[in-house]
Amino acid sequence: MSFNTFGREFRFTTWGESHGPALGATVDGTPPGVPLDEGFIQQFLDRRRPGTSKHTTQRQEADQVRILSGVFEGRTTGTPIQLMIENTDQRSKDYGEIATSFRPGHADITYHLKYGLRDYRGGGRSSARETAARVAAGGVAQAVLAHLLPSLKITGYMVQMGAMHLDRARFDAGAIAGNPFFLPDATAVQAWSDYLDGIRKDQNSVGAVIEVLVQGCPPGLGAPVYAKLDTDLAAAMMSINAVKGVEIGEGMAAAMLTGTANADEMRMGNDGPIFLSNHAGGILGGISTGQDIVVRFSVKPTSSITTPRRTINRRGEEIDLITKGRHDPCVGIRAVPVAEAMAACVILDHLLMDRAQTGGSRGEIGPLSQS
Amino acid sequence: MSFNTFGREFRFTTWGESHGPALGATVDGTPPGVPLDEGFIQQFLDRRRPGTSKHTTQRQEADQVRILSGVFEGRTTGTPIQLMIENTDQRSKDYGEIATSFRPGHADITYHLKYGLRDYRGGGRSSARETAARVAAGGVAQAVLAHLLPSLKITGYMVQMGAMHLDRARFDAGAIAGNPFFLPDATAVQAWSDYLDGIRKDQNSVGAVIEVLVQGCPPGLGAPVYAKLDTDLAAAMMSINAVKGVEIGEGMAAAMLTGTANADEMRMGNDGPIFLSNHAGGILGGISTGQDIVVRFSVKPTSSITTPRRTINRRGEEIDLITKGRHDPCVGIRAVPVAEAMAACVILDHLLMDRAQTGGSRGEIGPLSQS
Amino acid sequence: MSFNTFGREFRFTTWGESHGPALGATVDGTPPGVPLDEGFIQQFLDRRRPGTSKHTTQRQEADQVRILSGVFEGRTTGTPIQLMIENTDQRSKDYGEIATSFRPGHADITYHLKYGLRDYRGGGRSSARETAARVAAGGVAQAVLAHLLPSLKITGYMVQMGAMHLDRARFDAGAIAGNPFFLPDATAVQAWSDYLDGIRKDQNSVGAVIEVLVQGCPPGLGAPVYAKLDTDLAAAMMSINAVKGVEIGEGMAAAMLTGTANADEMRMGNDGPIFLSNHAGGILGGISTGQDIVVRFSVKPTSSITTPRRTINRRGEEIDLITKGRHDPCVGIRAVPVAEAMAACVILDHLLMDRAQTGGSRGEIGPLSQS
Amino acid sequence: MSFNTFGREFRFTTWGESHGPALGATVDGTPPGVPLDEGFIQQFLDRRRPGTSKHTTQRQEADQVRILSGVFEGRTTGTPIQLMIENTDQRSKDYGEIATSFRPGHADITYHLKYGLRDYRGGGRSSARETAARVAAGGVAQAVLAHLLPSLKITGYMVQMGAMHLDRARFDAGAIAGNPFFLPDATAVQAWSDYLDGIRKDQNSVGAVIEVLVQGCPPGLGAPVYAKLDTDLAAAMMSINAVKGVEIGEGMAAAMLTGTANADEMRMGNDGPIFLSNHAGGILGGISTGQDIVVRFSVKPTSSITTPRRTINRRGEEIDLITKGRHDPCVGIRAVPVAEAMAACVILDHLLMDRAQTGGSRGEIGPLSQS
């Protein structure tokens, strides 16, 4: 069963544990002839890489990706692309106690109950380290999208971290790359930094909300009824470690709206329909409208904290546990490049699905449209 | 491509348009020997059926399900179960104008752009009428679950309708069946009814939030990393018409929590671990903990309203459109049995997946556990 | 699990038992805008229909197909197409004894062992009657192929029936439709008819070999390594009731050839490569060459015969069984339209897969080809 | 699209090219707790390894497998198992000419036409070297089968090589491991060896027929109608490079039989049904009977021969081509362990599918069976 595979046409299977020799992604379904090299993928991994600021884990991993197959003379061949990242800084001794204890909020207990055994080193398969493989696969998707849909742009950023909220009036996409929070407001970076320092010094952690904006997506991607574009985006985000909620457009707030307020009215522009608002988040009936696609998701606070928590161990003994090791005080931060990668994979998957079913043709709107 | 199929082991494919001769679900993967008849499935359809109160569409559909295959002498045979519901009250003349116009908030324009043509009668395939087929498939899942997991209980109810919120202190599961809102608080029914009357008289509609509670789910269902139980529940809910947000446990509010507050601490009980809280909503690392599973989702307000909205038609002309026809002022209401059906299908799917991979065995916790 | 689904992009799920109220196919993945009506599909069903000559079962089934969804105003909409065939001539009383006895050569015993129960009437789900649903699905595939690949032609015919062999020197495609054996040699029909009469009078049955020829298939369909065109064609044929062997091109005889004899040498023609022979059967490395695709398969003799055979019943008693009922003395005959249907589905499936991955573009051969 | 994935519950995706840095298999769906190490898998790879006799290619590859994930402390964890084999003896210079020329009988031309480019070194992805990854994945399947079905035994052997046929009266399973032909008749080894020497000295190659015997398979594995055990075995074998025909039980010869001759009659034994013959090859209606499963397939002669053949190149020029390099005069020989691996994967896949659907329960035969 495809427990570790994501996607339909563009599929990737991730493999590897946090402290095993390597991890990676097996990518299948890539169109042939797309320019691709390790450097292109590496730029995405570098954005997710641990140890780059005081706000993320101090584990030092180069996260160097190797392409082992599927690329020849700088282009994809259409055969599977194997992406491997070797682990180098595994300090497994940090993880002695969790071999037999169940950290609250972690998958330790559920893996144990399900499988009867687990690779406990650093969380093994359930570690957020798995997301490095997603980012690598997303790099392949980004390369294909750059080839097939050069106008497409995927941008992730934080909109909330605990009590801190993005001031939407100050939204500045240009600021995102310049701070460790992927925050689109340079003026708020210091306050967010101070806030997170306080959290960390309190031996605590905090949750976050990330938003992904997809611009330049053509209309017509998505499919009824169980392969909706929004369904797939929601599944993509919910599959990321620690995610607890997903919203498209108005999201949960849609419950408070009336039909008159929520309607995205339309006028006719020179190049096609113009929507006067975007409550829908760019997707109607599971299919893209051509507007910006807006996806948001929440990430729970890091469960690994140095404040003791009550728990049990395999022998059924009640204990108090402090989770040592090197952990992010806000795992939401590094979820930003992961979410962009997942969005890229979903959009590409639907682009290829659409090529299969409709051949990419589109219904016409205009005076000559048959009616 | 499986655009219309849901599930892995327990799979159903829905088919049919709102105003075609019939609609239904083709269900595959059902275990053999499960008692099943049309009456059992019918009870679920009756809860979703239109025309049963002034708060839902006045379209009169008996929604009588017929089992055309896969059941013999009152038991499932393990072969595909074809469930057919004939349409009887198609007043297609109500839908003349939308043949060429695009209703704001509907899939009309995206279906047109993608496919170049569409069955416009009543929304065709994108109509919420498709959810009758889901409820029928869910009835099969409920029958199998009653056979394999008799302790399992799935309960859906509304927690918000526009400005009206459930008072959680008054939660009374016994009240749900006794009012048209699936509201677990009998004392609030009149106020909700008056509120929705006001919305309807204003020629408007309103959104909602539904919660689904799964009780008695054993630990160990779910799978890492791309077949997580929460991922699949999120996808299931997001695939329902008009859904814009999905939450597991704390949901979007997890962003505001700290790690100390969010930790679901554990103690040891006589029968296994006891969790002291359930911020996680019963799922850790994608796998059920044995606690209650809590899923919530928002439904946008019905897009079909009789207040005129600005839009365009196929010829590219700008028009004002009133959506006539018989519509629910709050489509969220009838989403309750649909969500229960989807939850049943997801839980059963994972139960069968787990049988495949682990054979249903579980890791032990206790003094004799090897460590 | 998709136990009853065939295909990837163009998928159909068949449902229904031999003596249930109806059977059919749920077809998903059809491109939109393809002209389709019941009459088009009916022509294929009429070729497979029982009761049309003395050489097939005397069960009288009109096999009238109804399209319940997915077609609007004469064209496919891209949504699921439900095809239903009602059963009308179920003489279930013929099948009393097999309720508890296991017919040798039938699936009776294996269904019983696997499922613990079965719809025994006429073989239930394991009846060759299921192939009517395949032929209906194949009709949809043929309509799409006629739209997208009008030059494609799929022709099935018998090449062997027991001791009777087609004389290839007399091959005449024009003769196929004019005799009950789908035999491409009008001069041999009388001899085949006499032979089969003899078999039937002996209360016996006989096996057959069918060949399917696909002409006009473009190069480039198929995919390495586990979605090869020949793999999928082999699986398609082997999934038909009673099939025991499948061959592509030289088939089993390839074992006797040397490399020099087997090489399909090439010369350059005005429009591209010309192959000087076709030992490969039109497929190299799992991908079509543009030559004729040649698939053959054997069908075992009908297991239902009126000569008594030794067997057992559910109580474990040893009995002698005569299979009454209305059976084909050579089930291979009616496998011809079934095989054509399956071939059409496979070719279309790969055409859509190829659109997804390569967009349909092809590598060039010629003086300007980059090298 | 899963172009490179095999299986449903037990799935593997192979990756890698003949002359890339490495190749391997990503295996998903393995039950947890199964003892597994590299040595266990290596024994299967060693049987397929090139360079071990004068009758196979002289390419020297150690084919050392590394397990990169999914195994912890000697047992499977239920997470993906990544198997990597590094290439060490890539003599790419041997392959200069085929960069631009199309070898007759090879996938060169079809890959070029489909993808527009290809990794031509040693055939790239279409090289039989891919089968090393299958054998590695098969080793995992064998480990799981040894754990879950210890009585199961899978044995492959050659029954024909060109003009040489196995004398079935001399069948001796004990002889298979002792000769380079996997021939179950020690007395014929010298003659086969002399025959193949002659073929090689003639700068030629020859085809073969391999048979795989599965003993100890329980009844009830397989599923109707499109996931039949025989369908999946046929697809598995047909997906192996150079295979042109597949047979189950009587295979193509079933066409010559009558119903009386072909019936596998039954008597009742102490432990259940006893079949008096096995024309069916152990599978009825797609489901195993409990008898020996018998699968046969033909392999065409190696297309790479040093006798010049007429062909074309990318510029469309007509040339004569000699395929240099190190090639097997009979590729069928090394297909034996590959076929065993594929059979192991199919059997395990169906065992897990059966656990999902029926929970492994079986229908009863005996005096107390309800009837």
Side-chain angles (χ1 to χ4, degrees):
Chain A
M1 184 50 63
S2 54
F3 303 129
N4 294 279
T5 297
F6 187 84
R8 294 176 177 81
E9 301 285 353
F10 179 79
R11 293 167 72 89
F12 65 88
T13 305
T14 70
W15 54 272
E17 279 78 36
S18 177
H19 287 55
L23 54 84
T26 310
V27 181
D28 202 4
T30 309
V34 177
L36 183 69
D37 60 24
E38 290 165 352
F40 185 84
I41 298 173
Q42 193 63 47
Q43 65 179 317
F44 298 98
L45 281 163
D46 288 348
R47 296 182 69 219
R48 196 212 72 100
R49 192 153 55 85
T52 53
S53 95
K54 65 179 174 182
H55 298 300
T56 58
T57 170
Q58 294 309 299
R59 178 172 174 172
Q60 296 292 335
E61 285 288 356
D63 277 357
Q64 282 294 127
V65 67
R66 283 186 65 199
I67 297 174
L68 295 182
S69 64
V71 177
F72 184 61
E73 298 181 341
R75 291 185 179 265
T76 60
T77 58
T79 63
I81 299 172
Q82 183 57 258
L83 305 168
M84 181 171 72
I85 299 164
E86 291 183 78
N87 287 319
T88 56
D89 185 24
Q90 309 107 300
R91 280 167 41 192
S92 297
K93 64 181 157 51
D94 285 351
Y95 297 99
E97 192 171 17
I98 65 171
T100 56
S101 301
F102 305 118
R103 294 169 296 170
H106 275 281
D108 297 343
I109 191 163
T110 51
Y111 270 58
H112 174 74
L113 287 170
K114 185 179 188 81
Y115 296 118
L117 81 174
R118 66 197 158 94
D119 181 344
Y120 49 77
R121 300 166 303 167
R125 180 70 184 148
S126 68
S127 167
R129 187 144 179 72
E130 183 270 345
T131 60
R134 300 180 186 225
V135 172
V140 177
Q142 295 271 18
V144 180
L145 288 169
H147 193 68
L148 296 179
L149 268 189
S151 64
L152 190 87
K153 191 173 175 190
I154 298 172
T155 312
Y157 42 87
M158 289 184 84
V159 296
Q160 184 185 349
M161 181 175 65
M164 309 300 286
H165 290 260
L166 170 69
D167 178 354
R168 296 231 172 220
R170 290 184 170 280
F171 183 93
D172 171 18
I176 296 169
N179 68 78
F181 301 108
F182 302 101
L183 183 63
D185 174 9
T187 69
V189 171
Q190 188 59 48
W192 284 47
S193 184
D194 294 345
Y195 174 78
L196 195 58
D197 278 343
I199 293 285
R200 194 177 62 246
K201 284 169 186 164
D202 279 354
Q203 305 187 310
N204 218 332
S205 63
V206 76
V209 175
I210 285 88
E211 188 167 281
V212 178
L213 185 69
V214 181
Q215 296 168 295
C217 180
L221 300 194
V225 174
Y226 300 96
K228 286 175 166 164
L229 185 57
D230 36 3
T231 298
D232 286 0
L233 285 167
M237 300 310 157
M238 196 60 99
S239 75
I240 300 173
N241 310 48
V243 172
K244 303 303 289 182
V246 182
E247 302 187 315
I248 307 288
E250 289 289 342
M252 298 305 292
M256 280 181 293
L257 294 178
T258 60
T260 46
N262 187 61
D264 293 321
E265 296 181 296
M266 284 174 267
R267 298 285 79 179
M268 192 65 193
N270 291 331
D271 299 328
I274 294 175
F275 291 87
L276 306 182
S277 56
N278 189 12
H279 297 284
I283 300 172
L284 284 173
I287 298 172
S288 63
T289 61
Q291 295 173 277
D292 287 354
I293 295 173
V294 183
V295 187
R296 262 184 319 283
F297 61 94
S298 65
V299 181
K300 71 178 183 183
T302 315
S303 296
S304 298
I305 50 179
T306 48
T307 300
R309 297 285 91 186
R310 289 174 288 175
T311 188
I312 61 173
N313 62 24
R314 280 182 60 180
R315 288 176 296 279
E317 297 158 347
E318 301 189 338
I319 58 173
D320 277 20
L321 189 70
I322 290 174
T323 306
K324 293 176 227 149
R326 303 155 293 176
H327 302 289
D328 296 89
C330 176
V331 283
I333 298 174
R334 293 206 285 138
V336 173
V338 178
E340 290 173 339
M342 295 303 287
C345 291
V346 170
I347 298 290
L348 175 57
D349 197 25
H350 277 276
L351 181 68
L352 300 183
M353 273 193 267
D354 186 67
R355 295 212 303 196
Q357 196 182 16
T358 73
S361 72
R362 288 291 170 265
E364 292 190 1
I365 295 176
L368 301 178
S369 172
Q370 186 188 356
S371 59
Chain B
M1 185 49 64
S2 55
F3 302 129
N4 293 279
T5 297
F6 187 83
R8 293 175 177 81
E9 301 285 354
F10 179 80
R11 294 167 73 89
F12 66 88
T13 306
T14 70
W15 54 272
E17 278 79 35
S18 177
H19 286 57
L23 53 85
T26 310
V27 180
D28 202 4
T30 310
V34 176
L36 184 69
D37 59 25
E38 290 165 352
F40 185 84
I41 299 173
Q42 193 63 45
Q43 65 180 316
F44 298 98
L45 281 163
D46 288 348
R47 296 181 68 220
R48 197 213 72 101
R49 193 153 55 86
T52 54
S53 94
K54 66 180 174 180
H55 299 301
T56 58
T57 169
Q58 294 309 299
R59 178 171 174 173
Q60 295 292 336
E61 285 288 355
D63 277 359
Q64 282 294 129
V65 67
R66 284 185 63 200
I67 298 175
L68 296 182
S69 64
V71 177
F72 183 61
E73 298 181 342
R75 290 184 179 267
T76 60
T77 58
T79 62
I81 300 173
Q82 183 57 259
L83 304 168
M84 181 172 74
I85 298 164
E86 291 182 80
N87 287 319
T88 56
D89 185 25
Q90 309 106 298
R91 281 168 40 192
S92 297
K93 64 182 157 48
D94 285 352
Y95 297 98
E97 191 170 18
I98 66 171
T100 55
S101 301
F102 305 118
R103 294 169 296 170
H106 276 280
D108 298 342
I109 191 163
T110 51
Y111 270 58
H112 174 74
L113 288 170
K114 184 178 189 82
Y115 297 117
L117 81 174
R118 63 194 161 95
D119 181 344
Y120 49 77
R121 300 166 302 166
R125 180 72 184 148
S126 69
S127 167
R129 187 143 180 72
E130 183 269 344
T131 60
R134 299 180 187 227
V135 172
V140 177
Q142 295 271 17
V144 180
L145 287 169
H147 192 69
L148 296 179
L149 267 189
S151 65
L152 190 88
K153 191 172 174 191
I154 298 172
T155 312
Y157 42 87
M158 289 184 86
V159 295
Q160 184 186 348
M161 180 175 65
M164 308 300 287
H165 291 260
L166 170 69
D167 178 354
R168 297 237 172 212
R170 290 185 170 281
F171 183 92
D172 171 17
I176 295 169
N179 68 76
F181 301 107
F182 302 101
L183 183 63
D185 175 7
T187 69
V189 171
Q190 189 59 49
W192 284 48
S193 184
D194 294 345
Y195 174 79
L196 195 58
D197 277 343
I199 294 285
R200 195 178 60 246
K201 283 169 187 164
D202 280 355
Q203 304 188 312
N204 218 331
S205 62
V206 76
V209 175
I210 285 88
E211 187 167 282
V212 178
L213 185 68
V214 182
Q215 295 168 296
C217 180
L221 301 194
V225 175
Y226 299 97
K228 287 176 165 162
L229 185 57
D230 37 2
T231 298
D232 286 358
L233 285 167
M237 301 309 157
M238 196 60 99
S239 76
I240 300 173
N241 309 49
V243 173
K244 301 304 289 183
V246 182
E247 300 186 317
I248 307 289
E250 289 289 342
M252 297 305 292
M256 281 181 291
L257 295 177
T258 60
T260 48
N262 187 62
D264 294 321
E265 295 180 297
M266 284 174 266
R267 298 286 79 179
M268 191 66 193
N270 292 330
D271 299 328
I274 295 176
F275 291 87
L276 306 182
S277 58
N278 190 12
H279 297 285
I283 301 172
L284 284 174
I287 298 172
S288 63
T289 61
Q291 295 172 277
D292 288 354
I293 296 172
V294 184
V295 186
R296 263 184 318 284
F297 62 94
S298 66
V299 181
K300 71 178 183 183
T302 314
S303 296
S304 298
I305 49 178
T306 48
T307 300
R309 296 284 91 188
R310 290 174 288 175
T311 189
I312 60 173
N313 63 21
R314 280 182 60 180
R315 286 176 298 278
E317 297 159 346
E318 302 189 336
I319 58 172
D320 277 19
L321 189 71
I322 291 174
T323 306
K324 293 176 230 151
R326 302 155 294 176
H327 303 289
D328 295 89
C330 176
V331 283
I333 298 174
R334 292 206 286 137
V336 173
V338 179
E340 290 173 339
M342 295 304 286
C345 292
V346 170
I347 297 290
L348 175 57
D349 197 26
H350 276 276
L351 182 68
L352 300 184
M353 272 194 269
D354 186 66
R355 296 212 302 196
Q357 196 182 17
T358 74
S361 72
R362 288 291 170 266
E364 293 190 0
I365 296 176
L368 301 177
S369 172
Q370 185 188 357
S371 59
Chain C
M1 184 50 64
S2 54
F3 302 130
N4 293 280
T5 298
F6 187 84
R8 293 177 177 82
E9 300 285 351
F10 180 80
R11 293 167 74 87
F12 67 87
T13 305
T14 70
W15 54 272
E17 279 78 37
S18 177
H19 286 56
L23 55 83
T26 310
V27 181
D28 202 4
T30 310
V34 176
L36 183 69
D37 60 25
E38 290 164 351
F40 185 84
I41 298 173
Q42 194 61 48
Q43 65 180 316
F44 297 98
L45 281 164
D46 287 348
R47 296 182 68 220
R48 196 213 73 100
R49 194 153 54 86
T52 52
S53 94
K54 66 179 174 181
H55 298 300
T56 59
T57 169
Q58 294 309 300
R59 178 172 174 172
Q60 294 292 335
E61 286 288 355
D63 277 358
Q64 281 294 128
V65 67
R66 283 187 63 200
I67 297 174
L68 295 182
S69 65
V71 176
F72 184 60
E73 298 181 341
R75 290 184 180 265
T76 59
T77 59
T79 63
I81 299 172
Q82 182 59 257
L83 305 168
M84 182 171 74
I85 299 164
E86 291 183 78
N87 287 320
T88 56
D89 186 25
Q90 310 107 299
R91 280 169 40 193
S92 297
K93 63 180 157 49
D94 285 352
Y95 297 99
E97 191 171 18
I98 65 171
T100 55
S101 301
F102 305 118
R103 294 169 295 170
H106 276 281
D108 298 343
I109 191 164
T110 52
Y111 270 58
H112 175 75
L113 287 170
K114 183 178 190 81
Y115 296 117
L117 81 175
R118 63 194 161 95
D119 182 344
Y120 49 77
R121 299 167 302 167
R125 181 68 184 150
S126 69
S127 167
R129 185 140 182 73
E130 184 269 344
T131 59
R134 300 181 187 226
V135 172
V140 177
Q142 295 271 19
V144 180
L145 288 169
H147 192 67
L148 296 179
L149 269 189
S151 65
L152 191 87
K153 191 172 175 190
I154 298 171
T155 312
Y157 42 87
M158 289 184 86
V159 296
Q160 184 186 349
M161 181 175 64
M164 309 300 287
H165 291 259
L166 169 69
D167 178 354
R168 297 237 172 212
R170 290 185 170 280
F171 183 91
D172 170 16
I176 296 170
N179 68 77
F181 300 107
F182 302 100
L183 184 61
D185 175 8
T187 68
V189 171
Q190 189 59 49
W192 284 48
S193 183
D194 294 345
Y195 174 78
L196 195 58
D197 277 343
I199 292 285
R200 195 178 60 244
K201 284 169 188 162
D202 280 353
Q203 305 186 311
N204 217 333
S205 62
V206 76
V209 176
I210 285 87
E211 187 167 280
V212 178
L213 184 69
V214 182
Q215 296 168 294
C217 181
L221 300 194
V225 176
Y226 300 97
K228 286 175 167 163
L229 185 56
D230 37 2
T231 298
D232 286 359
L233 285 167
M237 301 310 157
M238 196 61 99
S239 76
I240 301 173
N241 309 48
V243 172
K244 301 305 288 183
V246 182
E247 301 186 315
I248 307 288
E250 289 288 342
M252 297 306 292
M256 281 180 292
L257 295 177
T258 60
T260 47
N262 187 60
D264 295 320
E265 295 180 297
M266 285 174 266
R267 298 285 84 179
M268 192 66 192
N270 291 329
D271 300 327
I274 294 175
F275 291 87
L276 306 183
S277 57
N278 189 13
H279 297 284
I283 301 172
L284 284 174
I287 298 172
S288 63
T289 61
Q291 294 172 277
D292 288 353
I293 295 172
V294 184
V295 186
R296 261 183 320 282
F297 61 95
S298 65
V299 181
K300 71 179 183 183
T302 314
S303 297
S304 299
I305 49 178
T306 48
T307 301
R309 296 285 92 187
R310 288 173 290 174
T311 188
I312 61 174
N313 62 22
R314 279 182 61 179
R315 287 176 296 279
E317 297 160 347
E318 301 189 336
I319 57 173
D320 276 19
L321 189 71
I322 291 174
T323 305
K324 291 176 230 151
R326 302 156 293 178
H327 302 288
D328 296 90
C330 176
V331 283
I333 298 174
R334 292 206 287 138
V336 173
V338 178
E340 290 173 338
M342 295 304 287
C345 292
V346 170
I347 299 290
L348 175 57
D349 198 25
H350 277 276
L351 182 67
L352 300 183
M353 274 194 268
D354 186 67
R355 296 212 302 195
Q357 196 182 15
T358 73
S361 72
R362 289 290 171 267
E364 292 189 1
I365 295 177
L368 301 176
S369 173
Q370 185 187 357
S371 60
Chain D
M1 185 49 63
S2 54
F3 303 130
N4 293 279
T5 297
F6 187 84
R8 294 176 177 82
E9 300 285 352
F10 179 80
R11 293 166 73 88
F12 66 87
T13 306
T14 70
W15 53 273
E17 278 78 37
S18 176
H19 286 57
L23 54 84
T26 310
V27 180
D28 201 3
T30 310
V34 176
L36 183 69
D37 61 23
E38 290 165 351
F40 185 84
I41 298 173
Q42 193 62 47
Q43 66 181 315
F44 298 98
L45 281 163
D46 287 348
R47 296 182 67 221
R48 196 212 73 101
R49 193 152 55 85
T52 53
S53 94
K54 65 179 174 180
H55 298 300
T56 58
T57 169
Q58 294 310 298
R59 178 173 173 171
Q60 295 293 335
E61 285 288 356
D63 277 358
Q64 282 293 128
V65 67
R66 283 186 65 200
I67 297 175
L68 295 182
S69 64
V71 177
F72 184 60
E73 298 181 341
R75 290 184 179 266
T76 60
T77 58
T79 62
I81 300 173
Q82 183 58 258
L83 305 168
M84 182 171 72
I85 299 164
E86 291 183 78
N87 287 319
T88 56
D89 185 24
Q90 309 107 300
R91 280 167 43 191
S92 298
K93 63 180 158 51
D94 284 352
Y95 297 100
E97 191 171 17
I98 66 171
T100 55
S101 301
F102 305 118
R103 294 169 296 170
H106 276 281
D108 298 343
I109 191 164
T110 51
Y111 270 58
H112 174 74
L113 287 170
K114 184 177 188 82
Y115 297 117
L117 81 176
R118 64 195 161 95
D119 181 345
Y120 49 78
R121 299 166 303 167
R125 179 70 184 149
S126 68
S127 166
R129 186 142 180 72
E130 183 270 344
T131 59
R134 299 180 186 228
V135 172
V140 177
Q142 295 271 17
V144 180
L145 288 169
H147 192 68
L148 296 179
L149 269 189
S151 65
L152 190 87
K153 191 172 174 190
I154 298 171
T155 312
Y157 42 88
M158 288 184 85
V159 296
Q160 184 186 348
M161 181 175 64
M164 308 300 286
H165 291 260
L166 169 70
D167 178 354
R168 295 226 173 223
R170 289 184 170 280
F171 183 92
D172 170 16
I176 296 169
N179 69 77
F181 300 107
F182 302 102
L183 184 62
D185 175 9
T187 69
V189 171
Q190 189 59 50
W192 284 47
S193 184
D194 294 345
Y195 174 78
L196 195 57
D197 277 343
I199 293 285
R200 195 178 60 246
K201 284 169 188 164
D202 280 354
Q203 305 187 309
N204 217 333
S205 62
V206 77
V209 175
I210 285 89
E211 188 167 279
V212 179
L213 184 69
V214 182
Q215 296 168 297
C217 181
L221 300 194
V225 174
Y226 299 97
K228 286 176 167 164
L229 185 56
D230 37 1
T231 298
D232 286 359
L233 284 168
M237 300 311 158
M238 196 60 98
S239 75
I240 301 172
N241 310 47
V243 173
K244 302 304 288 183
V246 182
E247 300 187 316
I248 307 288
E250 289 288 344
M252 297 306 291
M256 281 181 293
L257 295 177
T258 60
T260 47
N262 187 60
D264 294 321
E265 295 181 296
M266 285 174 268
R267 297 285 82 178
M268 192 66 191
N270 291 329
D271 300 326
I274 295 176
F275 291 87
L276 306 182
S277 57
N278 189 13
H279 297 284
I283 301 172
L284 284 174
I287 298 172
S288 63
T289 62
Q291 295 173 276
D292 288 353
I293 296 173
V294 184
V295 186
R296 261 183 321 283
F297 62 93
S298 65
V299 181
K300 72 178 183 183
T302 314
S303 296
S304 297
I305 49 178
T306 48
T307 301
R309 296 285 93 186
R310 289 172 290 173
T311 188
I312 60 174
N313 62 22
R314 279 181 61 180
R315 287 176 297 279
E317 297 160 346
E318 301 188 337
I319 57 173
D320 276 19
L321 189 71
I322 291 173
T323 305
K324 293 176 227 148
R326 303 155 294 176
H327 302 288
D328 295 270
C330 176
V331 283
I333 298 174
R334 293 207 286 139
V336 173
V338 178
E340 290 173 338
M342 294 304 287
C345 292
V346 170
I347 298 290
L348 175 57
D349 197 26
H350 277 276
L351 181 68
L352 300 183
M353 272 194 270
D354 185 67
R355 297 213 301 195
Q357 196 182 16
T358 74
S361 72
R362 288 289 171 267
E364 293 190 0
I365 296 176
L368 301 177
S369 173
Q370 186 188 356
S371 59

